Amino acid sequence: TPFILVDCGLGVWQNYIKYIGDQLPPYLYISHNHIDHCGELPILILNGFKNSQPLKIIGHTQVIEMVQKYRLHELSYVGIDLENIAEWKTENEQSIIQIENQLTFELKQSIHSYPCYGFKLKSGDRTILGYGGDSAFDKNLYNFLNDAEILILDGRKTRNKEHASFFELNQYGKEKNRKIYVIHHDHKNLEREHEHLIYLQEGIELKIV
């Protein structure tokens, strides 16, 4: 069973069962309240609760408050106590969430229409994973995440006020001399000539040594 699931947009639970199985990980990180990042949160919460596996849900206070108020409104409306159906973990004054075995999530806000927070996952002094969530091109965010062994950023073929372009991400990868894994919705328009980008596809497995 994986240690953590990062975001849970529509279709995630079906694919999770397909590739991993039906036992949920103990932790779930939510970057923001858009449907393609947490649309299946009610399903996962209810599934975990039904199987005596209540989720430990990690996120910035702003995000968790929005999720509880809007995404989970139906659950609270029918009398489900949101405080007891899951364990909620939010940041301290340094924007750090401490969990088990010296693992920490250090959060930083991205440039997006909804409050959205990327993170770097650290084990002691080792930065294992950097995840930007959704964001317009944001060097401050990327530099914060750049010490991660694996860096995952959001991108699009054409930039807009909420999403960076593949070209911008590739230029950043070139500047830092590193590979960047890219989450995207442009399955038919990938620009393979971007030598510093690896476009994530369904079922791809990333190795952390």
Side-chain angles (χ1 to χ4, degrees), residues 16-200:
Y16 185 93
I17 293 173
K18 177 180 177 181
Y19 291 105
I20 299 173
D22 60 1
Q23 185 173 358
L24 287 167
Y27 290 94
L28 169 63
Y29 180 85
I30 299 295
S31 64
H32 64 298
N33 189 40
H34 277 159
I35 196 168
D36 60 334
H37 286 259
C38 70
E40 292 202 344
L41 180 58
I43 295 172
L44 298 184
I45 286 180
L46 289 173
N47 185 283
F49 185 74
K50 181 179 68 175
N51 293 295
S52 300
Q53 296 176 277
L55 284 171
K56 298 173 183 177
I57 301 175
I58 300 169
H60 192 276
T61 302
Q62 279 185 290
V63 174
I64 295 304
E65 287 176 351
M66 293 186 76
V67 162
Q68 290 179 334
K69 184 175 182 180
Y70 300 111
R71 185 68 54 195
L72 302 179
H73 176 262
E74 183 178 4
L75 298 186
S76 60
Y77 184 77
V78 297
I80 293 175
D81 185 353
L82 297 181
E83 291 299 322
N84 292 324
I85 201 171
E87 184 178 336
W88 306 90
K89 292 182 173 290
T90 54
E91 82 288 356
N92 61 21
E93 292 180 358
Q94 289 76 43
S95 293
I96 295 173
I97 301 174
Q98 179 83 44
I99 55 176
E100 60 195 69
N101 300 325
Q102 293 189 316
L103 290 174
T104 58
F105 286 77
E106 298 185 12
L107 309 187
K108 189 170 183 64
Q109 188 166 13
S110 69
I111 301 174
H112 204 53
S113 58
Y114 259 33
C116 179
Y117 289 81
F119 69 82
K120 54 184 179 183
L121 173 61
K122 301 187 71 171
S123 176
D125 294 330
R126 179 186 178 190
T127 305
I128 301 169
L129 175 66
Y131 174 72
D134 279 357
S135 183
F137 185 77
D138 183 358
K139 263 197 172 182
N140 288 330
L141 173 65
Y142 302 160
N143 289 341
F144 171 77
L145 302 172
N146 189 53
D147 62 331
E149 296 169 25
I150 290 179
L151 176 59
I152 301 176
L153 301 176
D154 159 73
R156 298 292 187 272
K157 182 177 176 62
T158 303
R159 66 171 296 179
N160 58 40
K161 64 181 180 180
E162 297 189 78
H163 303 282
S165 70
F166 297 148
F167 175 80
E168 290 172 314
L169 296 181
N170 188 67
Q171 289 298 106
Y172 183 79
K174 183 177 180 180
E175 176 187 321
K176 299 298 182 180
N177 192 30
R178 68 166 303 155
K179 293 288 187 180
I180 298 171
Y181 292 91
V182 180
I183 296 175
H184 57 88
H185 293 300
D186 293 293
H187 298 285
K188 296 180 180 179
N189 296 303
L190 299 183
E191 299 181 25
R192 299 294 179 182
E193 68 270 20
H194 287 150
E195 69 275 18
H196 292 280
L197 305 185
I198 301 172
Y199 300 97
L200 290 175

